[in-house]
Structure formats: C-alpha cells, structure tokens
Amino acid sequence: LFERELLSAGGAGGDAAAAAPGAFKATNFGSFVRQLNLYGFHKTPVLAGGGAAGLPGSAGALLRFCSPYFRRDRPELLVHIKRLTRANRERMAAGLEVRSRQPSRFQQ
C-alpha cells in the first residue's frame, strides 16, 4: 500500500502523489528502506498484536523505523540526520563536521 500510494509516480488515487509530488526519490519499498538506513534509521520490533494483517490492502506485518533525531515536536533535532556516505563516515571519524544539504521545500 505504501509503495503503491506514496512511492509510485501516479499514486493509487492520485491524492497522495498530488499532496507531495516527488517527496520520495525511491520508487520501490526496498530502495526506500535502503535510504532510511543510509540516514541512520533502524528497524525496530513492533509490539505483539501490532501487525497489519487485518488492514485492507495489507501485504503483511507493519515495519517500524526509528532514529534518535526524528522526534515529534522536536524539529531542532533534524539537523543531526546525515546521510552516512563513505565520505561522511571518514569526516566523522576524523572529527570533522558533516554538513547538511539546504532544506528542501518540504522541510521548510
């Protein structure tokens, strides 16, 4: 459902894609998860009974991804989310600052 409505170019009904066109560069769920991992998000276990098996259009259990810098009502933490590229890892290991990109129109 997520892939069909938010990651695909057209969206299922067009509403999700119209609300945030180009919000995600990935077009399939595996690529989206890879991007989450590159930005420091980790998959966390969902509590018992938290599966989506009963939801319409669901393909299986819910997945939950967390980052210590992605918290509701704490936008000041977002500057700490960095893409973990080889160059950024080397900069961090050397004690240098890793700069962020300018905020996109969605972040503003």
Side-chain angles (χ1 to χ4, degrees), residues 25-98:
K25 291 182 181 179
T27 56
N28 66 51
F29 189 70
S31 297
F32 180 77
V33 169
R34 182 173 181 274
Q35 290 298 312
L36 284 176
N37 292 329
L38 284 174
Y39 281 92
F41 284 79
H42 301 285
K43 187 166 48 170
T44 59
V46 177
L47 298 175
L55 295 176
S58 174
L62 291 175
L63 296 177
R64 178 183 213 152
F65 292 86
C66 295
S67 168
Y69 303 119
F70 192 76
R71 299 282 181 232
R72 183 177 304 204
D73 299 325
R74 299 287 309 274
E76 72 277 5
L77 295 176
L78 294 175
V79 298
H80 299 291
I81 296 177
K82 312 283 187 205
R83 186 179 170 121
L84 301 176
T85 62
R86 181 179 296 144
N88 283 350
R89 284 189 190 116
E90 290 171 0
R91 289 182 65 83
M92 289 168 47
L96 300 173
E97 180 184 359
V98 176

